[in-house]
Amino acid sequence: MEEFLPASTTRSGIITPSFFAYSLDGKQNTQGPTPGGFLFWTSPGVSNNETLDQPYDYAGIADLYFAAVFMPDVPARTSVVTLHNAIDVPSDLTNPNSTKRPAHVLGVAVGDTSGYTHERLYAGPKSLEVLAATHATGADGKPDGQSLQPLIQFGWMTILATPLYWVLRFLNEHGVPNWGWDIILVTIVFNLLMLPTRLMMMKQSLKMSRLQPKVDAIKRKYANLKVSDPKRAEMNTEMMALYKTENVNMYGGCLPLLIQMPLFFAYYRVLANVIELRQAHWFWLHDLSVADPLHILPIIIIISMFLVQFMTPSPGMDPNQRRMMAVMMPVIFGFSMWHFASGLALYWGTGNLINLGIQLAINRSKMGQEMHAIAAKRQARKLGGGGNPRTIQGKR
């Protein structure tokens, strides 16, 4: 109930949606309060006063950080009744007179079709360690069946997110007992581990930039052909032969990104779902599970991302497009973090500052200087040679 207390101003606007969580005949699933839900577009919405007589291993209601789940002694005889209602609540929970908005209320009752009900109930925080140690009734009638760990929604990133969580947890318990600093330290290590892939991307980009004049020459050679002309296949063959001769992998710049993205998403899923961030403090942030109240982190994200975009040489990109990306991308990502959990913003801002430092070092290197030189030459050619406009003289 602390969210409703005047002292809890940081959580006054937070209403985390609840969902129906269950394991049916060995398969875990969730349903949101409306058709399609908010977790799976294909799942139906929870109906009011619906009776479901099916072999549930467990069934209950959960939100982002808490759960109340029934574990029947005899899953084969389980009967579940669902509740779905909506009530109007103040948009500002500390001000009863603020504008009202509807909030979904879900409930579940679990019984036994034999008429005699005996079951266990878990009601409490969604702690990964506790849920992993809590099991539904197994085939032998003992509490050794499926665990309640799937109540934490790591999704398809579970295989990477779970060990990442345990790394953060280990660091918090045996290193720095502050989740804010733990996020920063793991983010530093994470970015240093990804540094070789970033350098690989830069090297591939440099190779492609060196080849660009030859690539442009091949394109001009076939420029007059229609898209449907079979001879255009010769252009692709000639370009592939050029890449092979110069030992350039045209997809080499993408492969490192494919390695990084699953890890980024796994980190996101961990920081968005673990209860340890709730009410965790770090400097001016009194709760890492809610948005930065002073918006300092989103502003840092916008500025640092702009600087990284602006300083990163992109010889193959149109200068106008590059300038637009340097402004639009930071604004989009920064304002998307405006209302995100500050723990996520802390991770993203730390990563941006690290990337800024790495990019400064790369720009001072021989590789970075060459890329900037190539980009300047391409820009000069587009402007008609050194930026001087061409003069067309008329006949006398």
Side-chain angles (χ1 to χ4, degrees):
M1 295 295 292
E2 64 192 348
E3 286 85 353
F4 293 89
L5 296 177
S8 299
T9 56
T10 57
R11 303 191 65 84
S12 61
I14 303 299
I15 300 177
T16 56
S18 56
F19 55 92
F20 176 34
Y22 60 90
S23 174
L24 181 58
D25 202 17
K27 296 181 180 180
Q28 296 88 7
N29 206 344
T30 56
Q31 287 180 215
T34 57
F38 57 91
L39 296 172
F40 301 99
W41 292 108
T42 56
S43 64
V46 177
S47 300
N48 186 34
N49 200 27
E50 182 177 13
T51 301
L52 307 168
D53 295 335
Q54 300 186 71
Y56 287 96
D57 300 300
Y58 64 77
I61 299 297
D63 62 12
L64 185 59
Y65 296 121
F66 297 93
V69 179
F70 294 98
M71 293 165 283
D73 278 3
V74 185
R77 299 200 307 255
T78 303
S79 179
V80 173
V81 178
T82 59
L83 166 72
H84 179 201
N85 202 349
I87 60 174
D88 291 331
V89 298
S91 55
D92 181 358
L93 299 181
T94 64
N95 180 13
N97 298 320
S98 61
T99 305
K100 302 293 191 298
R101 60 181 178 181
H104 294 278
V105 177
L106 300 183
V108 164
V110 177
D112 192 307
T113 55
S114 70
Y116 174 75
T117 299
H118 192 276
E119 56 198 3
R120 292 174 295 129
L121 169 66
Y122 175 83
K126 290 166 59 175
S127 166
L128 186 63
E129 185 177 16
V130 175
L131 294 179
T134 306
H135 294 262
T137 304
D140 57 0
K142 298 179 180 179
D144 55 6
Q146 293 183 345
S147 75
L148 301 186
Q149 183 174 328
L151 291 174
I152 298 179
Q153 301 288 324
F154 286 155
W156 63 282
M157 284 284 99
T158 297
I159 192 171
L160 294 175
T162 302
L164 183 57
Y165 163 78
W166 286 115
V167 169
L168 281 166
R169 176 77 176 269
F170 179 85
L171 183 60
N172 184 265
E173 294 179 350
H174 303 282
V176 183
N178 180 283
W179 279 92
W181 286 116
D182 297 333
I183 291 171
I184 291 173
L185 290 174
V186 172
T187 303
I188 292 173
V189 173
F190 176 72
N191 278 270
L192 291 178
L193 291 175
M194 291 296 102
L195 181 57
T197 64
R198 180 169 182 174
L199 294 176
M200 188 186 304
M201 292 173 63
M202 295 289 290
K203 289 178 181 178
Q204 288 297 323
S205 178
L206 178 57
K207 287 182 179 180
M208 292 290 291
S209 300
R210 290 169 178 167
L211 278 184
Q212 196 61 44
K214 295 182 180 180
V215 172
D216 292 339
I218 294 174
K219 290 180 178 179
R220 286 194 298 269
K221 182 179 175 181
Y222 296 90
N224 295 328
L225 298 178
K226 295 181 179 180
V227 178
S228 58
D229 195 317
K231 289 187 178 181
R232 287 190 70 90
E234 298 177 9
M235 180 183 74
N236 296 330
T237 302
E238 198 170 333
M239 290 176 64
M240 294 303 295
L242 175 65
Y243 291 141
K244 185 176 181 180
T245 302
E246 300 292 338
N247 193 28
V248 173
N249 182 358
M250 61 184 301
Y251 303 108
C254 300
L255 291 176
L257 190 62
L258 294 178
I259 297 173
Q260 292 181 27
M261 291 310 294
L263 293 174
F264 280 124
F265 281 118
Y267 210 162
Y268 169 82
R269 294 299 297 178
V270 169
L271 297 182
N273 287 278
V274 296
I275 193 173
E276 284 83 356
L277 293 189
R278 188 175 184 273
Q279 298 181 348
H281 294 237
W282 186 80
F283 286 98
W284 73 94
L285 304 174
H286 300 294
D287 190 337
L288 290 174
S289 69
V290 300
D292 181 348
L294 302 180
H295 306 301
I296 294 175
L297 290 175
I299 293 172
I300 290 175
I301 290 172
I302 293 173
I303 296 174
S304 59
M305 195 171 184
F306 168 76
L307 291 174
V308 171
Q309 292 280 333
F310 184 77
M311 294 169 55
T312 302
S314 303
M317 184 180 292
D318 179 76
N320 293 328
Q321 183 182 3
R322 181 170 175 264
R323 282 191 291 268
M324 183 181 69
M325 293 290 289
V327 174
M328 293 300 297
M329 291 296 289
V331 170
I332 292 172
F333 277 94
F335 282 102
S336 67
M337 289 288 173
W338 207 262
H339 300 289
F340 272 34
S342 53
L344 289 170
L346 182 61
Y347 150 68
W348 198 268
T350 301
N352 279 2
L353 293 176
I354 295 171
N355 287 333
L356 180 59
I358 292 174
Q359 191 58 54
L360 282 169
I362 290 175
N363 286 352
R364 292 178 177 272
S365 69
K366 183 178 179 181
M367 178 175 61
Q369 291 174 359
E370 183 177 353
M371 291 189 71
H372 277 288
I374 293 174
K377 287 180 181 178
R378 287 178 62 85
Q379 175 68 0
R381 284 197 299 269
K382 287 187 176 182
L383 293 175
N388 296 322
R390 296 178 179 176
T391 302
I392 301 176
Q393 294 182 347
K395 293 183 180 180
R396 293 185 179 180

